[in-house]
Amino acid sequence: MKKLICSILFLAGVFVFSQENVKNDTISQADTQEIQEVIIKSQRKKQFADKAVYTFDKEALEKARYAKDLLRTLPELQLDPVSNTITSTKGGTSLFLINGVEATDLQIRSIPPSEVVKVEYYDIPPARWASRADMVVNIITKSNETGYVFGTDLMSGLTTGFINGSAYANFTKGKNNFGLEYSLNLRDYDNRKVRSIYDYDLNGEHYRSEENRKDHFGYTAQNIALRYTRLVPDNYAFQAKLTTDIFSRFSKGTGESIFTKDSSVEEHEMFKNNGSNYVIPKLDLYYSKKIGAKDELSLNLVGSHYKTNTTESAREWIVPSGISVYDNEMILKTEQTNFVGELAHTHDFKAGKLSSGYRVSSTAISNDLNNLAGYSQYKVHYLEQYFYSEFSGKADKFSYRIGAGLTNIHNKSAENTFDEWSFTPKVILGYQLKSNQSLRFTSSYSPTSPWSSALSSNVVQLAPNIVQKGNPFLKSQQNFSNNLIYSFNNKKFDFNAALFYRYTDRVINQYYILDDTFGGYALTYENGKNAQRYGVQLTGSYKPFGSNVLVLKAVLTPTSETLRTSKGALIRNDYFANNFVVSSEYKSFSIQYMFNMPVYTLNGAFLNTNENQNHIFASYKLNSWSFTAGMYWLGMPSEYKTKSLPESLVDYNTHTRIMNNKSMFVLGVSFDFSKGKKTEIQRKLNNDTAPAATF
């Protein structure tokens, strides 16, 4: 109750302050349209301190079939052929908005290119999105009119279980809009090969377990969304969205291993099965109200309640005696309630804009667990509160955004309660060197709460003498991030060079420890002393002919990273991350080729490679239809490698290959039709509840 009272008093103070009667210096709707017309004729990109604004010429609008085609032309965005969604070439989490409203991939597809005014690309997200995404894309569209739009698409592998499908429809009449969406992602692979090696000393004896396994695994993810929007211009906007996520996954594997204890050698066989499923109904309510000419108040409430079932069954035995080495059974049933609420206020001053708000997110999980440690019932509750206020403005060639926040993380489990308040400031400064060159600096400090599986007290068997478990006593880690960014663009080049430095205090680190309970080693989590990551990131695109006839996109990131464990051991790793995209468009034809060279990055006790890419796709557009053919992982399977560090108590090495998607050929077809325009509200708050808790 005390926290709630403090929250209300804080907001009240902010709102009183923001009511100052100062002449409005923001651009009116009519002025915005005039300036946008000038931008379209004079330049394609305009750089600000925290974002770049892109506009599109007549040729680009005529070639695109929907707004999604426009997004893929941005220098730091790409079409990921595996998920058929727009992603960042730099990686990380992406958030997409339409007029400030969080949007799905299908909603982006539902926008005709002619309705797109501009696209705002935030490589430094504002405060209300900073904790959720690494970059934000906001599509600004024209005014709403009566009309309808619908479409569908399907992409399928011809020789294996791979399907991406979706359908959508929107209808607008007057001030009301109705939307319906459905998407399906199905994977069913029966030839995943896994080779794992555990090598360690225990009780004065040397052990080695070399395992080869073949898995049949897959998942089915479905999403159904029903949306209603009512918009009264210059007065209020209301949106109610009901979504249902239906998810199930499975993995069934069999194999053999060579188990060595000193000079004794045994042949083992095994099976490892696991799976989970859940259905998440989610209600999202949004309301915003104009208060005079300078103020707007917004409220967003999101809630969900559901159950999750997770199972794991594994056994290893000696051949030919059949004597069991280990027998692992884990059944986890959770009942989860999530809630997110946010209240925000904006006020326009002559010098800039002030944005303030309060967000609270709550996740309550009731666990019913059977595992190696026996049967248990326990509850956990994760609560996070966030107060924020930031002011953005511009003075001549200087632009800035200064923010201050207060974050409270309150995690309560059966074993421990962690409660901490953190001050979270953020500074962004920008300077326009020339019309096409800019220099920006950003600095921020923020906490990161441990994820649910890291805090879990669950225990599962990985191999003989090896188990995995969480740590309920983890504390949040504190992140201090700095970037210096130089941007340059002209007709052929769009280039960014960033020097970055990130320091993390109390870094969450995964490592092996001796475990007295089960008589071997346990892979668990700790709060290390600190971690550092620094380097240079070069990103951008090059158009040799000044058009999309040929476009080269690249990301090059030489990086050095270190981690100091709780015992003071220093772990170091250097890598050269990279990603390349080559694309070409000519009339109704387009082709895209993506590739990279995987690198090892530090992840707790391990070094992990990122997923390899070697994909080629070609498309042909015919009126409202589009036909696609392509091949994933040309000449190679997707593969993933993990190896332990020299400091680890257990020498671990694994190599996973999905043989089904080696040179996997796919065909796709899509249809999109629109008439008139849609109602799109300028929604200021966008939230989502916590994901399903699994282990």
Side-chain angles (χ1 to χ4, degrees):
M1 180 60 69
K2 184 182 293 184
K3 294 178 182 177
L4 182 60
I5 293 173
C6 292
S7 304
I8 295 172
L9 291 175
F10 177 87
L11 280 176
V14 170
F15 292 156
V16 170
F17 170 77
S18 64
Q19 299 301 312
E20 181 181 346
N21 185 18
V22 181
K23 183 179 178 181
N24 190 352
D25 193 39
T26 58
I27 303 170
S28 68
Q29 182 63 34
D31 294 333
T32 301
Q33 292 174 352
E34 292 174 3
I35 289 177
Q36 287 160 358
E37 290 173 1
V38 173
I39 293 176
I40 291 173
K41 293 177 181 178
S42 62
Q43 68 179 70
R44 182 173 177 269
K45 177 183 179 181
K46 189 173 182 63
Q47 184 68 57
F48 296 88
D50 59 346
K51 67 182 179 182
V53 177
Y54 291 90
T55 54
F56 306 93
D57 58 23
K58 182 180 178 181
E59 181 183 0
L61 295 175
E62 290 177 348
K63 282 186 176 182
R65 193 156 49 89
Y66 36 57
K68 186 175 176 178
D69 286 342
L70 297 176
L71 293 186
R72 62 189 291 186
T73 66
L74 269 60
E76 294 186 357
L77 296 180
Q78 64 184 2
L79 178 65
D80 178 12
V82 179
S83 62
N84 194 32
T85 59
I86 299 295
T87 60
S88 171
T89 58
K90 299 185 293 186
T93 304
S94 304
L95 181 65
F96 294 90
L97 316 171
I98 300 174
N99 294 328
V101 184
E102 185 171 351
T104 64
D105 180 75
L106 292 178
Q107 286 178 267
I108 297 172
R109 278 187 54 192
S110 71
I111 305 174
S114 59
E115 302 305 306
V116 177
V117 175
K118 61 183 178 179
V119 172
E120 298 174 334
Y121 175 85
Y122 290 88
D123 55 354
I124 308 171
R128 62 180 179 269
W129 300 312
S131 62
R132 298 186 51 210
D134 299 296
M135 73 94 180
V136 175
V137 177
N138 186 24
I139 305 168
I140 307 298
T141 65
K142 295 179 182 178
S143 60
N144 54 289
E145 292 180 3
T146 297
Y148 59 87
V149 57
F150 60 86
T152 183
D153 76 273
L154 177 67
M155 179 173 286
S156 177
L158 300 185
T159 59
T160 190
F162 177 95
I163 296 176
N164 287 335
S166 63
Y168 66 90
N170 283 306
F171 175 71
T172 301
K173 186 174 182 180
K175 301 178 177 64
N176 303 294
N177 171 264
F178 301 88
L180 178 64
E181 299 174 13
Y182 173 77
S183 64
L184 167 69
N185 298 100
L186 183 145
R187 305 291 185 267
D188 192 342
Y189 296 144
D190 61 3
N191 192 9
R192 178 173 63 178
K193 295 182 178 180
V194 183
R195 182 175 184 268
S196 301
I197 297 175
Y198 293 89
D199 195 294
Y200 53 92
D201 293 313
L202 182 64
N203 299 325
E205 297 175 310
H206 181 74
Y207 292 84
R208 179 183 175 88
S209 178
E210 185 172 340
E211 173 186 318
N212 286 281
R213 192 174 74 248
K214 181 179 179 181
D215 292 348
H216 178 198
F217 82 101
Y219 65 84
T220 302
Q222 301 177 80
N223 177 268
I224 304 170
L226 179 63
R227 183 178 60 257
Y228 168 72
T229 304
R230 179 170 175 81
L231 172 63
V232 180
D234 299 318
N235 189 356
Y236 73 89
F238 171 77
Q239 184 179 84
K241 184 167 61 174
L242 179 63
T243 61
T244 302
D245 293 316
I246 306 170
F247 180 83
S248 64
R249 66 169 178 85
F250 70 92
S251 177
K252 299 178 180 180
T254 59
E256 60 278 335
S257 72
I258 303 299
F259 183 75
T260 304
K261 179 180 178 182
D262 289 335
S263 59
S264 174
V265 179
E266 295 176 347
E267 292 185 11
H268 292 183
E269 290 184 356
M270 72 190 67
F271 70 82
K272 292 186 177 181
N273 302 332
N274 61 72
S276 66
N277 62 81
Y278 54 79
V279 177
I280 304 178
K282 189 183 305 176
L283 180 63
D284 185 340
L285 300 175
Y286 172 80
Y287 178 78
S288 66
K289 174 71 175 176
K290 295 281 188 180
I291 306 174
K294 300 179 181 180
D295 297 272
E296 184 174 9
L297 192 64
S298 303
L299 176 67
N300 185 209
L301 302 173
V302 187
S304 62
H305 179 80
Y306 59 97
K307 296 180 180 180
T308 301
N309 297 309
T310 305
T311 62
E312 182 164 325
S313 177
R315 182 172 180 262
E316 185 169 327
W317 61 92
I318 301 172
V319 178
S321 67
I323 298 175
S324 180
V325 178
Y326 69 80
D327 198 338
N328 176 46
E329 290 286 342
M330 190 273 288
I331 300 175
L332 174 63
K333 295 182 179 181
T334 66
E335 187 169 347
Q336 188 164 335
T337 301
N338 300 323
F339 171 77
V340 178
E342 184 169 3
L343 180 65
H345 174 263
T346 61
H347 179 78
D348 294 321
F349 291 91
K350 182 178 180 180
K353 175 177 285 190
L354 176 68
S355 301
S356 305
Y358 167 72
R359 182 172 68 241
V360 57
S361 61
S362 171
T363 301
I365 306 174
S366 177
N367 297 276
D368 193 320
L369 175 64
N370 261 308
N371 63 7
L372 293 173
Y375 175 76
S376 62
Q377 285 183 320
Y378 63 96
K379 295 182 179 180
V380 295
H381 186 205
Y382 308 129
L383 176 69
E384 184 169 324
Q385 298 182 88
Y386 178 42
F387 300 88
Y388 61 87
S389 186
E390 63 179 10
F391 187 84
S392 57
K394 191 176 187 299
D396 196 18
K397 293 184 177 182
F398 288 93
S399 54
Y400 58 90
R401 196 175 84 209
I402 301 174
L406 191 62
T407 301
N408 171 242
I409 295 176
H410 183 90
N411 294 333
K412 183 178 181 180
S413 66
E415 295 88 353
N416 185 46
T417 298
F418 173 78
D419 187 275
E420 184 177 69
W421 290 86
S422 301
F423 178 62
T424 54
K426 188 169 190 174
V427 176
I428 301 171
L429 304 174
Y431 181 74
Q432 197 74 28
L433 300 171
K434 293 183 179 180
S435 61
N436 64 340
Q437 298 181 57
S438 65
L439 193 64
R440 295 177 290 156
F441 172 75
T442 173
S443 181
S444 64
Y445 182 81
S446 62
T448 302
S449 180
W451 45 100
S452 60
S453 61
L455 290 168
S456 172
S457 56
N458 193 11
V459 182
V460 296
Q461 190 91 39
L462 299 178
N465 303 317
I466 307 288
V467 299
Q468 179 181 352
K469 61 183 181 180
N471 178 6
F473 297 92
L474 285 177
K475 300 178 180 179
S476 65
Q477 60 184 26
Q478 307 284 340
N479 309 301
F480 179 54
S481 180
N482 299 273
N483 299 273
L484 181 63
I485 308 168
Y486 168 76
S487 300
F488 169 83
N489 73 284
N490 58 23
K491 186 177 181 180
K492 294 185 177 182
F493 285 95
D494 196 313
F495 171 76
N496 291 286
L499 293 171
F500 63 90
Y501 173 76
R502 182 182 179 93
Y503 178 88
T504 303
D505 191 35
R506 295 192 316 215
V507 60
I508 297 174
N509 174 43
Q510 193 176 30
Y511 72 128
Y512 286 102
I513 61 170
L514 279 170
D515 185 76
D516 296 332
T517 304
F518 300 99
Y521 289 101
L523 179 63
T524 188
Y525 297 87
E526 68 163 1
N527 282 110
K529 291 187 175 180
N530 57 67
Q532 298 182 73
R533 180 180 291 123
Y534 54 89
V536 180
Q537 185 170 73
L538 308 175
T539 64
S541 66
Y542 172 55
K543 300 178 179 180
F545 307 107
S547 69
N548 290 333
V549 171
L550 180 62
V551 182
L552 310 175
K553 295 183 180 181
V555 179
L556 302 173
T557 315
T559 305
S560 181
E561 55 184 353
T562 61
L563 185 147
R564 191 171 294 276
T565 69
S566 61
K567 295 183 178 180
L570 182 64
I571 300 169
R572 182 182 298 275
N573 180 53
D574 299 317
Y575 61 90
F576 200 125
N578 59 90
N579 186 59
F580 305 93
V581 181
V582 182
S583 64
S584 176
E585 291 184 14
Y586 179 72
K587 294 185 177 179
S588 297
F589 292 91
S590 65
I591 188 169
Q592 174 178 285
Y593 174 60
M594 304 172 60
F595 70 99
N596 69 357
M597 291 172 281
V599 296
Y600 281 100
T601 58
L602 189 61
N603 183 17
F606 308 107
L607 291 169
N608 297 335
T609 60
N610 53 316
E611 185 178 78
N612 56 315
Q613 293 183 359
N614 194 32
H615 317 314
I616 187 167
F617 281 82
S619 297
Y620 175 72
K621 300 172 185 176
L622 180 63
N623 298 323
S624 297
W625 294 87
S626 179
F627 304 92
T628 303
M631 188 170 287
Y632 295 101
W633 291 285
L634 282 164
M636 65 180 70
S638 61
E639 61 180 358
Y640 317 86
K641 298 178 181 179
T642 298
K643 60 182 180 181
S644 58
L645 297 159
E647 295 82 0
S648 176
L649 295 176
V650 176
D651 184 8
Y652 174 69
N653 190 301
T654 185
H655 184 194
T656 301
R657 295 172 296 160
I658 303 177
M659 306 306 296
N660 297 86
N661 55 31
K662 178 181 179 181
S663 299
M664 182 173 65
F665 183 68
V666 297
L667 290 175
V669 60
S670 65
F671 175 80
D672 299 88
F673 181 81
S674 64
K675 182 179 180 181
K677 305 171 188 176
K678 312 164 298 305
T679 297
E680 297 292 353
I681 66 175
Q682 284 227 343
R683 176 170 166 169
K684 306 301 180 183
L685 304 178
N686 305 277
N687 292 290
D688 200 2
T689 56
T694 60
F695 189 78

